[in-house]
């Protein structure tokens, strides 16, 4: 099973920024498109952004377009999610998954992002 590890979350004020990281243990990410997902309390997991294996193609949920940027550094085996102009509604646990697959079954622990004043 492919296992990914998310990091970089925290508490930030509205309008602030965070950069999340997604790394892999025991395998290289460069074969896979990678997606970021999030799940807020009481809500279903939703897709946030996806990047192709070589980084040439990206996509975003409408709710984060213009504020979040997904990127990858295959040399560092890491995919990033740069989040700016954060809003309270961005508060959630953020996860990454290979193949941008929301039906992925081996979710990691995720990283908590809390946007609050």
């Amino acid at each position: 099973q492919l296992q990914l590890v998310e990091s970089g979350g925290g508490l930030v004020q509205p309008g602030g920024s965070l950069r999340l990281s997604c790394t892999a243990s025991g395998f290289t990410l460069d074969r896979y498109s990678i997606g970021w997902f999030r799940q807020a309390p009481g809500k279903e997991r939703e897709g946030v952004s996806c990047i192709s294996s070589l980084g040439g193609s990206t996509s975003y949920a409408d709710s984060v377009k213009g504020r979040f940027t997904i990127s990858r550094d295959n040399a560092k085996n890491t995919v990033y999610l740069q989040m700016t102009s954060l809003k309270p509604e961005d508060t959630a646990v953020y996860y990454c998954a290979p193949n941008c697959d929301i039906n992925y079954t081996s979710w990691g622990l995720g990283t908590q992002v809390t946007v609050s004043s």
Side-chain angles (χ1 to χ4, degrees):
Q1 290 283 6
L2 305 179
Q3 192 66 54
L4 303 178
V5 179
E6 305 89 353
S7 63
L11 172 64
V12 63
Q13 292 186 342
S17 300
L18 283 173
R19 188 177 78 161
L20 307 184
S21 297
C22 170
T23 60
S25 176
F27 69 97
T28 57
L29 291 179
D30 59 5
R31 294 184 179 184
Y32 303 94
S33 59
I34 300 293
W36 281 100
F37 301 83
R38 66 186 182 187
Q39 188 166 20
K43 295 187 177 181
E44 293 192 353
R45 201 183 318 255
E46 63 176 358
V48 175
S49 185
C50 179
I51 187 167
S52 60
S53 59
L54 297 180
S57 177
T58 59
S59 62
Y60 298 91
D62 287 343
S63 58
V64 307
K65 277 181 183 175
R67 301 187 298 120
F68 290 11
T69 303
I70 192 170
S71 63
R72 67 191 300 157
D73 186 340
N74 286 340
K76 294 184 178 180
N77 212 30
T78 303
V79 174
Y80 304 99
L81 186 68
Q82 179 69 49
M83 307 186 296
T84 63
S85 302
L86 282 161
K87 305 175 181 180
E89 51 263 44
D90 295 318
T91 295
V93 179
Y94 284 70
Y95 304 87
C96 56
N99 301 319
C100 302
D101 183 5
I102 199 166
N103 296 311
Y104 186 58
T105 57
S106 296
W107 297 100
L109 296 177
T111 186
Q112 175 71 50
V113 172
T114 302
V115 185
S116 174
S117 55

